[in-house]
């Protein structure tokens, strides 16, 4: 029976590292077969997941030998951290390993949404030439508002600044005189002020009781009519129905969502048919390069915990 169970995709070289010392059950489709996962996990000392596997008490109860949960990413809202702590189960995310990938995704989204010329392929293939209508905006000189100013937001700020953007930042856990604001030439602001002033807003907060629905109807109404919004943080931070309504009513310039309240995103929901909207399947932090970094970091962390626990 396996010591390590991996339920979602992971880089092969990192798996080989684990297999050199442990019996590993790797099935990236296991996340969609919870009964099979529950049957398999009884012997596991380690569980490695991405964002879709729900590590809740019901699953933990089926894993009496579990010592560590490795998270191929950084968000922990799919893991009951308190329940793990109560059992003495270590939780090891891949902190920092995909910062660059997400930052590049955000900057790309800002450029695409401000320019606004990338939705015309089908129209042009039919013979249209909407050149005047698709005149967009430059990023240089415009304000990027970062809601949350942790590691990924700071990487985003560096890249946006290189394009000539001004950086606005809101983070309730950082005092306004924190040196990082001066280092990155970012202006700290209350959330409402940031939303009112930014040409583009990118979210960089975890999903908590305080952030759920943070960008709802009221927040959207406080944004500039031509502003664009990017959420590559966590689904649930944006009220999807309120966003769709704002886009359809022309009260927002555009949006790009990589994360959703429910994943995979159900078809036919409120976002269907919303204009100036780009949707991607929770892929901002996943590139060929980041997958290698994330997988290696988690494999190393999980192996270290298992070795320490075995020696204890």
């Amino acid at each position: 029976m396996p010591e390590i169970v991996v339920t979602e995709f992971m880089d092969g070289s990192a798996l080989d590292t684990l297999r050199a010392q442990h019996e590993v059950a790797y099935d990236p489709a296991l996340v969609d077969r919870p009964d099979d996962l529950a049957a398999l996990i009884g012997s596991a000392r380690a569980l490695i997941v991405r964002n879709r596997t729900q590590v809740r008490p019901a699953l933990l109860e089926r894993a009496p030998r579990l010592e560590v949960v490795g998270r191929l990413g950084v968000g922990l809202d799919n893991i009951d951290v308190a329940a793990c702590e109560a059992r003495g189960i270590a939780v090891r995310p891949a902190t920092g390993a995909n910062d660059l990938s997400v930052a590049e995704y955000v900057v790309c989204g800002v450029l695409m949404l401000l320019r606004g010329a990338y939705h015309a392929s089908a129209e042009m293939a039919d013979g249209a030439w909407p050149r005047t209508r698709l005149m967009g905006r430059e990023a240089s000189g415009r304000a990027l508002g970062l809601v949350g100013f942790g590691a990924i937001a700071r990487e985003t700020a560096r890249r946006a600044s290189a394009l000539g953007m001004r950086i606005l930042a809101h983070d309730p856990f950082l005092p306004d005189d924190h040196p990082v604001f001066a280092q990155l030439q970012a202006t700290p602001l209350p959330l409402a002020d940031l939303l009112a002033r930014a040409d583009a807003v990118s979210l960089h907060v975890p999903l908590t009781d305080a952030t759920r629905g943070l960008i709802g109807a009221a927040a959207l109404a406080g944004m500039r009519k031509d502003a664009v919004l990017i959420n590559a943080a966590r689904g649930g931070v944006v009220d999807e129905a309120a966003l769709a309504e704002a886009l359809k009513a022309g009260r927002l310039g555009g949006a790009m969502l990589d994360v959703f309240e429910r994943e995979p995103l159900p078809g036919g929901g409120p976002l269907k048919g919303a204009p100036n909207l780009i949707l991607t399947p929770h892929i901002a932090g996943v590139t060929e390069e980041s997958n290698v970094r994330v997988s290696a970091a988690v494999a190393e962390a999980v192996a270290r915990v298992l070795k320490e626990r075995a020696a204890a």
Side-chain angles (χ1 to χ4, degrees):
M1 296 294 286
E3 279 191 288
I4 301 174
V5 175
V6 185
T7 66
E8 299 178 66
F9 68 91
M10 188 174 183
D11 180 63
S13 60
L15 284 166
D16 290 341
T17 299
L18 292 173
R19 287 173 176 141
Q21 298 292 329
H22 305 278
E23 183 176 350
V24 178
Y26 172 59
D27 183 348
L30 200 56
V31 60
D32 294 314
R33 305 197 314 275
D35 291 341
D36 291 347
L37 172 57
L40 188 64
I41 202 173
S43 65
R45 296 176 61 205
L47 173 66
I48 297 178
V49 304
R50 283 191 181 268
N51 63 292
R52 292 183 56 218
T53 305
Q54 300 299 307
V55 185
R56 306 297 182 197
L59 181 62
L60 295 174
E61 289 171 6
R62 302 294 294 269
R65 300 185 60 209
L66 197 64
E67 298 171 11
V68 57
V69 177
R71 166 70 168 93
L72 295 162
V74 293
L76 298 177
D77 46 287
N78 62 310
I79 299 173
D80 191 327
V81 176
C84 288
E85 289 177 349
R87 280 266 309 273
I89 299 169
V91 177
R92 295 291 184 266
T95 303
N98 64 358
D99 292 359
L100 174 58
S101 299
V102 179
E104 287 189 354
Y105 174 98
V106 171
V107 171
C108 176
V110 169
L111 295 175
M112 291 178 68
L113 290 168
L114 288 177
R115 195 62 185 262
Y118 304 103
H119 299 285
S121 296
E123 188 179 358
M124 290 189 63
D126 285 335
W129 194 253
R131 191 176 185 211
T132 303
R133 175 170 60 82
L134 295 182
M135 185 184 298
R137 295 170 283 169
E138 296 176 352
S140 180
R142 298 194 178 273
L144 172 62
L146 299 169
V147 180
F149 206 55
I152 294 175
R154 295 173 195 183
E155 289 290 350
T156 303
R158 292 183 181 97
R159 284 152 182 79
S161 293
L163 295 173
M165 298 194 79
R166 295 177 289 110
I167 306 301
L168 313 177
H170 169 75
D171 194 316
F173 299 102
L174 295 177
D176 287 355
D177 61 355
H178 193 286
V180 72
F181 294 117
Q183 291 166 5
L184 295 178
Q185 297 182 314
T187 302
L189 291 173
L191 179 59
D193 292 347
L194 180 149
L195 295 177
R197 291 172 54 177
D199 297 285
V201 174
S202 181
L203 307 179
H204 297 272
V205 295
L207 181 63
T208 66
D209 290 341
T211 63
R212 184 175 294 279
L214 181 69
I215 306 300
L220 291 165
M223 293 176 64
R224 296 167 54 107
K225 185 177 179 181
D226 60 354
V228 300
L229 173 70
I230 297 176
N231 185 15
R234 279 293 173 267
V237 176
V238 173
D239 182 327
E240 293 169 8
L243 173 63
E245 183 180 353
L247 289 169
K248 292 174 181 177
R251 297 196 303 270
L252 193 69
M256 186 171 182
L257 302 182
D258 186 55
V259 289
F260 306 91
E261 182 75 32
R262 289 180 56 194
E263 296 183 6
L265 180 67
L271 297 173
K272 184 176 176 62
N276 300 324
L277 176 63
I278 301 170
L279 306 179
T280 56
H282 205 140
I283 204 73
V286 183
T287 58
E288 294 177 2
E289 296 86 354
S290 73
N291 184 40
V292 171
R293 293 193 300 267
V294 165
S295 299
V298 170
E300 180 181 352
V302 166
R304 185 183 304 115
V305 171
L306 294 182
K307 183 178 180 179
E308 291 171 351
R309 297 287 176 93

